[in-house]
Amino acid sequence: MNYKIIDKSAYYRKDTYRRFTEECKCSASITARLDVTELAAYSKKTNTRFYINFLYILAKVLNSRDDYKMGYLYQSDELVCYDVIHPTHYVFRKETETCTPVYSEYCEDYKAFYRNVFADIEKAKAPREQSVHQQNQPNRFEASYLPWVSYDSLHMELPDGYLYFPPVVHWGKYREESGRLMMPVTIRMNHAIADGYLIAKVFELLQKEMKQFMNNQ
């Protein structure tokens, strides 16, 4: 795990950072629908899992810009930017109605990512006493799929004043709207390191990266 320390006095968002770490500690989230028609068709055609394909695109987008890879070190009061952030996602256990965390590693090579995440998910499905657990690391973002509902809004709270900087992303079941498959996606980030523009930018990049992904296949 490598990172660079950000000089807060030279940080391009220093005034916003100071305000939302000292005066008004809060986060912001946006829910919007993404057009996943082509990605869903590709997943069906290639017999690959839409979930893993979208997770790859999401991880690639979040690793494409430093603003999405920020972290806060409480011990030293330092703002840092990680070289790479990896997804922590979840496997739902129907028998217990609970989720098991899956700690996957991001790599830009799609085939390697798909193969590794597929294996991670299968390991997590093993009986709880046999499943592999890994201590959570700070250079991770949360990715959670809600397959039971195509929702219109979602809000997740963190304790007041908690300077948690990694993105928290949820997405739900896609549904047909005017002949297209639209999927709700919610992105939550700490206001100290991301405002509405930066959160909205993720949606733009996701749509762009999905198109690029299809062109590369």
Side-chain angles (χ1 to χ4, degrees):
M1 178 182 63
N2 297 316
Y3 59 81
K4 60 183 178 183
I5 298 175
I6 304 298
D7 180 357
K8 287 183 282 190
S9 66
Y11 181 34
Y12 87 104
R13 292 176 50 85
K14 63 180 180 179
D15 293 334
T16 302
Y17 181 84
R18 183 198 61 77
R19 180 184 178 194
F20 289 107
T21 56
E22 298 177 9
E23 299 174 6
C24 180
K25 297 179 181 179
C26 64
S27 61
S29 64
I30 296 177
T31 297
R33 293 187 180 278
L34 291 180
D35 187 336
V36 297
T37 307
E38 281 75 25
L39 185 63
Y42 168 83
S43 302
K44 184 176 181 179
K45 178 181 178 181
T46 58
N47 196 31
T48 55
R49 296 187 185 181
F50 174 88
Y51 169 83
I52 300 178
N53 292 337
F54 180 73
L55 184 65
Y56 168 76
I57 291 168
L58 174 64
K60 188 173 182 180
V61 165
L62 294 181
N63 275 285
S64 68
R65 182 166 177 149
D66 285 353
D67 293 292
Y68 308 134
K69 299 185 290 182
M70 306 298 280
Y72 176 69
L73 305 183
Y74 282 87
Q75 300 88 339
S76 55
D77 184 32
E78 289 177 316
L79 175 65
V80 302
C81 178
Y82 296 105
D83 289 351
V84 62
I85 55 175
H86 307 287
T88 295
H89 50 118
Y90 299 86
V91 165
F92 180 71
R93 294 179 175 273
K94 189 174 181 179
E95 69 278 9
T96 61
E97 296 184 342
T98 60
C99 293
T100 297
V102 182
Y103 303 100
S104 296
E105 299 294 314
Y106 169 69
C107 66
E108 192 169 351
D109 184 291
Y110 163 68
K111 292 183 178 179
F113 179 90
Y114 189 98
R115 181 173 60 250
N116 294 336
V117 171
F118 186 94
D120 293 339
I121 292 173
E122 293 306 305
K123 288 179 182 178
K125 289 180 178 178
R128 193 172 292 273
E129 62 271 16
Q130 298 178 16
S131 61
V132 178
H133 293 276
Q134 174 180 330
Q135 185 178 3
N136 200 6
Q137 298 173 331
N139 61 324
R140 290 194 167 273
F141 67 91
E142 291 282 330
S144 186
Y145 173 44
L146 287 73
W148 312 281
V149 62
S150 183
Y151 61 84
D152 293 311
S153 64
L154 184 150
H155 183 66
M156 193 198 77
E157 297 276 355
L158 284 177
D160 289 343
Y162 188 53
L163 300 180
Y164 183 84
F165 290 169
V168 179
V169 183
H170 294 80
W171 64 97
K173 181 170 62 174
Y174 54 72
R175 70 187 185 204
E176 185 175 343
E177 297 179 11
S178 302
R180 306 296 291 178
L181 298 179
M182 306 301 292
M183 186 175 74
V185 179
T186 303
I187 300 167
R188 178 267 180 202
M189 295 191 69
N190 194 292
H191 208 340
I193 49 88
D195 52 20
Y197 170 80
L198 287 173
I199 299 174
K201 187 71 176 178
V202 178
F203 294 98
E204 177 187 334
L205 292 172
L206 283 171
Q207 208 72 74
K208 180 179 179 181
E209 189 57 44
M210 271 192 281
K211 183 176 181 180
Q212 186 65 43
F213 176 82
M214 299 306 304
N215 291 338
N216 291 339
Q217 302 310 310

